[in-house]
Amino acid sequence: MTPDRLVRFFLEPGLRESAEAGEHNFLNKVSGVLRENGFHIDYCGDDPAAVDLALKDDGSFSLFHMRHPVGPRSLVFRRVYHYPFWAIEPSAERWHWHTARCPFLPDQIDPDEAARFVRFWRKKLFGRAQPCPTGDGFLYLPLQGQLTEHRSFQSCSPVEMVRRVLELDARPVVAALHPKESYTEEDHAALAELGAQHDRLTLTTGGMDRYLPACDAVITQNSSVAFNGYFLGKPAVLFADIDFHHIALDARTDPQAAVQTLAAHNPDYERYIFWFWQIMSINAGRPEAEEAIRRSLQRARWPIA
């Protein structure tokens, strides 16, 4: 076996065990496409010693799970927010993905097919919850990490985002910390200061199941909660780059215009979700998944027929 016919998968322990046992549907399909094209597969760990293999320019290929790919012939694979939807990309940053750069053309999508698709997934993900464009008169701001930092893909820091929303809209605001993030004393102090200045601000942790169906809109940097809100007809305002930006209001250059046009914003959520998932992502539960995998690898210029 020559290196140019080898693909190494760098996986965390549980995922590696599942792949080696043939129990991971998506990785089974990716490996199958690669083997059909004459590649050998090696499932590796993702510890530093294993990753050093990817840095050796020996002509081999590599796939990483949810982390920046390293090496000249490396790609990343990760879920597109929910199973069984996946992407294979050259970058771990979603706003650089193929979908983020493509235009959404709703007129090319059958509205009835899209409606059936979204009804199925809405029930699967949200049970009996139904689309409700208006809610109880509050804005829902799901927060992520590093609240006081202004990172390169953001138009401002998350704390500054909360401050601007409070200044631009008179409705109550629920700002929710992510339950799996770690926050510094500076993060908590900055939010507490805003809470002391604005009695309309409620600070909480988690609670998407409670707040998403009841809110008027989702305002966030780029939290996946905004994508989930599309299933319930909730308009989104984004302060940062992300892949599902096409039907959201863009606050990166003009937050005032974005927030103040929320009431009139009513995009075609169903056709967008269908396009985003069924056309632009890899649906590992569908028979055409292998063809979508081939297209992703070909787009990255891997030698795939």
Side-chain angles (χ1 to χ4, degrees), residues 13 55 149 169 205 218:
L55 296 173
E149 295 186 26
D169 197 288
T205 299
V218 178

Side-chain angles (χ1 to χ4, degrees), residues 57-272:
D57 190 9
D58 61 359
S60 63
F61 294 78
S62 54
L63 280 162
F64 289 81
H65 179 229
M66 290 182 63
R67 58 171 293 171
H68 290 287
V70 296
R73 283 164 293 279
S74 295
L75 299 172
V76 61
F77 69 95
R78 66 184 303 174
R79 278 184 302 155
V80 185
Y81 304 110
H82 295 282
Y83 292 111
F85 300 95
W86 295 85
I88 301 173
E89 294 284 343
S91 170
E93 296 170 331
R94 294 180 186 267
W95 49 94
H96 293 314
W97 286 7
H98 178 64
T99 300
R101 302 192 304 269
C102 288
F104 166 53
L105 304 173
D107 291 344
Q108 297 181 4
I109 298 168
D110 182 340
D112 295 329
E113 186 177 7
R116 288 191 297 270
F117 179 84
V118 173
R119 278 198 302 269
F120 173 85
W121 283 103
R122 183 188 301 120
K123 182 177 181 181
K124 189 174 181 66
L125 296 173
F126 302 103
R128 296 182 179 181
Q130 292 297 313
C132 180
T134 57
D136 294 338
F138 70 91
L139 301 174
Y140 179 32
L141 277 62
L143 302 174
Q144 294 149 289
Q146 303 178 47
L147 300 184
T148 60
E149 295 186 26
H150 177 187
R151 291 182 279 177
S152 61
F153 58 92
Q154 299 172 323
S155 60
C156 63
S157 72
V159 166
E160 180 61 24
M161 174 188 72
V162 178
R163 185 191 313 278
R164 292 183 185 180
V165 172
L166 287 163
E167 292 172 350
L168 293 170
D169 197 288
R171 280 172 286 190
V173 170
V174 175
L177 297 172
H178 195 293
K180 293 184 179 180
E181 284 281 358
S182 296
Y183 294 97
T184 65
E185 291 183 4
E186 184 181 7
D187 290 334
H188 287 293
L191 286 179
E193 181 180 353
L194 282 178
Q197 296 169 355
H198 300 274
D199 58 8
R200 292 183 291 113
L201 175 62
T202 297
L203 300 174
T204 187
T205 299
M208 184 183 76
D209 291 345
R210 172 185 175 185
Y211 295 112
L212 186 57
C215 72
D216 285 353
V218 178
I219 303 180
T220 184
Q221 293 284 346
N222 60 10
S223 169
S224 62
V225 173
F227 176 71
N228 287 328
Y230 293 164
F231 287 87
L232 302 178
K234 303 297 180 178
V237 175
L238 301 177
F239 276 75
D241 300 331
I242 196 58
D243 53 342
F244 56 80
H245 62 85
H246 306 79
I247 62 169
L249 292 166
D250 186 354
R252 292 174 300 175
T253 56
D254 193 345
Q256 180 174 352
V259 172
Q260 293 183 349
T261 56
L262 266 171
H265 188 59
N266 184 33
D268 193 329
Y269 295 105
E270 292 183 336
R271 285 199 273 195
Y272 182 74

